[in-house]
Amino acid sequence: MSKYLKLWEYIKEQSSDTLKLTYDEIENIAGVPLDHSFLTYKKELLEYGWQVKKIHMKEKCVEFIKN
């Protein structure tokens, strides 16, 4: 089971075609600290019909887009 499963399920339930979450929001939803492994795990999101559009380092947020 992925450590980001709760996050993927949350994103899958969103009705919009795009979503922007801060790092803190991601950590709260996922229940785990956001770390470098997110870059590896993000490909799992494709199975849920979404993908990471952009990671904003300065703004400390991540944009997601529905496939």
Side-chain angles (χ1 to χ4, degrees), residues 6-30:
K6 290 180 186 177
L7 176 62
W8 304 154
E9 290 176 345
Y10 174 85
I11 293 171
K12 182 182 176 184
E13 293 173 4
Q14 303 308 302
S15 58
S16 65
D17 290 339
T18 61
L19 179 65
K20 191 173 186 178
L21 296 172
T22 65
Y23 291 179
D24 288 340
E25 290 171 323
I26 290 171
E27 289 179 356
N28 287 334
I29 295 165

Side-chain angles (χ1 to χ4, degrees), residues 4-62:
Y4 291 106
L5 181 61
K6 290 180 186 177
L7 176 62
W8 304 154
E9 290 176 345
Y10 174 85
I11 293 171
K12 182 182 176 184
E13 293 173 4
Q14 303 308 302
S15 58
S16 65
D17 290 339
T18 61
L19 179 65
K20 191 173 186 178
L21 296 172
T22 65
Y23 291 179
D24 288 340
E25 290 171 323
I26 290 171
E27 289 179 356
N28 287 334
I29 295 165
V32 295
L34 185 63
D35 58 24
H36 192 72
S37 71
F38 181 78
L39 298 173
T40 302
Y41 282 101
K42 71 180 184 167
K43 62 186 167 196
E44 297 174 344
L45 190 53
L46 293 170
E47 298 172 28
Y48 294 86
W50 286 76
Q51 65 183 14
V52 172
K53 179 180 178 183
K54 187 166 184 176
I55 298 172
H56 299 274
M57 300 300 283
K58 276 188 175 180
E59 296 176 34
K60 296 186 178 181
C61 66
V62 180

